[in-house]
Amino acid sequence: MNILSWYFNKSFMFKMTAGFVIGIVLGFLLGEDSSFLAPLGKLFLNLLKMIVIPLVVLSLMVAVNHSSPKELGRIGAKIFPLYLLTTAVAIFVGIAVAYVTNPGAGLTLPADAVVKPPDNPNFIDTIINMVPSNIYMAFSEGDILAVVFVAIVLGLAILFMRHSDDPKQREMGDLVFRITEAGNEVISKILSGILQYAPIGIIGITANTIGSQGMDTVVALGMFILTAYIGVASMVLLVYPLILKVFGVNVFDFYSRIKDAVFTSFATSSSLSTLPITLKAAEKAGIGERVAKLTLPIGATVNMDGTALRFGMAVIFAAEIMGMSISFGDLVTIVVIGTMAAIGTAGVPGAGLIGMSIVFTQAGLPLEIVALTAGINALVDMVFTCGNVTGDLVAAKIVDQSERKAALKAGIYYDHGYD
């Protein structure tokens, strides 16, 4: 009983760090035999995925009802251009870092690698698919963009009912809203329980990841791995702080408050699975509930700065292996293609390989190089996902700062929305 009390009283970050370190040690000691620990990690990811859909739906419906249609439009007009900007910057950073480190030097194509070209995501189709023809299928298949659309529509319907001139409509709208708020609170309680198991899950994920990566592959592609970590570090330590400073955010304080989400994203390699912790981190970072719960679920699907950085460095990596020179015009085209591919890449483990294939197809580069990097995909996915989630939180914080300043200028009290 004393051990349990000690465990529950320790901070989340301490427990997650301990789990990560133990996982690394076990991975190196056991090697491929560490696979028996994989179910611990799988269980943790399943628990997070189990709660993502109800969390997104209920939190969005509540957030919409703490807003107004005008406010929703204003926040959307701020967040989407910001997503596009940081995604494009991330690709440029990936290209620049790769030019310095030369990750493809001395490598050759694998002779037996065969990769099927993926379907190129069509922007119009992406917009159309946001509106599901079958709500049940959208929920069961975990189509987050469609789920977000449905949640916002439901939330708006409740909002208009609550502000209707008809007393009966107002009464029913208030009733549904109270039920939604109660459901949201239930999900929060379940999430608190899941997070107590998180460090054990991290042990399983980390041990299996480290143990399953063949050291020969890691050594051969060591410069690719190093380039990935340098690239994301450049975004997190240089680009984001510069943007945050412009908007008057204390960078050190902000990062200290979001560290739980950043660390969890690194361990899980999934923006969507990390979303419950990301929302909690946003509250700690002082991001208003309306902004956080409206932008972060969308950001976990469409704002992929780390993934975009991967595309930029991967193109230079491929060009070096093939002995090709890439013109400035080609690089600009790659930035545009990569931005669209990053937006269309789901926030789940392994999706970066699909996105790489899309960019390579459009750039006329051999897809076999994608297979060359597949062996160390788990190791680089960790840091790229870390970049994705950090970018989501930075964008949410900037929009929140903008909303606060607008409220202050108008002489209006800024309600952060949390109890």
Side-chain angles (χ1 to χ4, degrees):
M1 195 66 180
N2 287 334
I3 295 177
L4 284 177
S5 298
W6 176 85
Y7 178 81
F8 289 134
N9 289 329
K10 290 297 179 183
S11 71
F12 180 73
M13 191 63 190
F14 173 83
K15 289 184 286 190
M16 292 290 279
T17 303
F20 186 66
V21 171
I22 292 170
I24 290 175
V25 172
L26 290 174
F28 277 117
L29 290 177
L30 299 174
E32 293 187 0
D33 291 336
S34 62
S35 59
F36 81 93
L37 294 169
L40 296 177
K42 181 66 174 175
L43 177 59
F44 175 51
L45 290 177
N46 284 353
L47 286 168
L48 287 175
K49 290 173 183 176
M50 172 191 77
I51 206 171
V52 162
I53 297 298
L55 178 70
V56 168
V57 172
L58 294 170
S59 64
L60 267 176
M61 289 172 67
V62 170
V64 165
N65 275 271
H66 285 164
S67 308
S68 66
K70 182 179 178 181
E71 189 175 40
L72 293 177
R74 187 174 68 247
I75 291 173
K78 292 177 181 179
I79 197 69
F80 283 107
L82 192 55
Y83 285 163
L84 288 172
L85 175 64
T86 57
T87 299
V89 168
I91 296 175
F92 272 118
V93 169
I95 291 171
V97 172
Y99 266 126
V100 173
T101 60
N102 303 121
L107 292 176
T108 56
L109 276 175
D112 57 347
V114 179
V115 180
K116 182 182 177 181
D119 294 329
N120 190 22
N122 182 287
F123 179 74
I124 299 299
D125 288 342
T126 301
I127 297 298
I128 292 173
N129 290 335
M130 283 178 61
V131 184
S133 59
N134 185 316
I135 292 178
Y136 172 77
M137 286 188 66
F139 279 58
S140 63
E141 293 175 0
D143 186 345
I144 292 294
L145 277 179
V147 169
V148 166
F149 176 81
V150 171
I152 291 176
V153 169
L154 290 173
L156 285 172
I158 296 170
L159 178 66
F160 283 118
M161 287 178 68
R162 294 176 64 216
H163 292 84
S164 171
D165 292 331
D166 185 343
K168 188 174 181 181
Q169 287 245 344
R170 286 201 304 273
E171 182 183 348
M172 288 188 294
D174 287 337
L175 173 61
V176 175
F177 178 59
R178 286 197 298 273
I179 293 171
T180 305
E181 278 193 311
N184 195 39
E185 187 63 27
V186 169
I187 293 299
S188 296
K189 294 295 183 186
I190 295 172
L191 175 59
S192 298
I194 292 173
L195 295 184
Q196 294 299 334
Y197 173 75
I200 299 170
I202 293 303
I203 291 174
I205 293 172
T206 307
N208 186 53
T209 299
I210 299 297
S212 62
Q213 302 300 307
M215 288 309 296
D216 291 342
T217 304
V218 172
V219 171
L221 294 173
M223 192 52 69
F224 185 88
I225 297 171
L226 180 62
T227 303
Y229 280 74
I230 292 174
V232 173
S234 299
M235 289 294 294
V236 173
L237 300 178
L238 296 175
V239 177
Y240 293 147
L242 180 62
I243 297 173
L244 290 168
K245 277 291 185 184
V246 169
F247 285 85
V249 179
N250 184 315
V251 177
F252 181 80
D253 179 69
F254 175 72
Y255 277 166
S256 69
R257 293 175 184 274
I258 67 168
K259 62 182 182 297
D260 290 351
V262 174
F263 191 90
T264 304
S265 68
F266 182 81
T268 62
S269 301
S270 173
S271 301
L272 288 176
S273 296
T274 307
L275 183 58
I277 294 95
T278 306
L279 287 167
K280 280 189 169 292
E283 182 177 353
K284 288 183 182 178
I287 300 172
E289 182 182 29
R290 286 188 293 275
V291 172
K293 291 186 175 179
L294 286 171
T295 62
L296 291 175
I298 299 172
T301 306
V302 303
N303 186 42
M304 298 287 155
D305 292 351
T307 302
L309 188 146
R310 176 190 193 137
F311 298 160
M313 61 169 278
V315 165
I316 305 304
F317 174 74
E320 288 177 348
I321 291 175
M322 299 302 296
M324 297 168 54
S325 59
I326 299 179
S327 67
F328 179 76
D330 292 333
L331 291 178
V332 172
T333 302
I334 288 164
V335 169
V336 174
I337 295 169
T339 301
M340 294 301 103
I343 289 173
T345 302
V348 295
L353 290 176
I354 299 171
M356 275 179 66
S357 300
I358 292 167
V359 175
F360 278 30
T361 299
Q362 295 299 307
L365 292 167
L367 295 181
E368 287 76 14
I369 294 176
V370 177
L372 182 64
T373 66
I376 45 88
N377 185 60
L379 293 178
V380 293
D381 248 4
M382 297 167 81
V383 74
F384 289 136
T385 306
C386 178
N388 292 342
V389 170
T390 305
D392 293 344
L393 285 161
V394 167
K397 184 63 176 179
I398 290 169
V399 171
D400 183 67
Q401 286 290 100
S402 175
E403 291 290 294
R404 287 175 189 273
K405 288 181 179 179
L408 182 64
K409 187 176 181 180
I412 302 170
Y413 169 70
Y414 182 79
D415 181 9
H416 57 70
Y418 296 105
D419 294 330

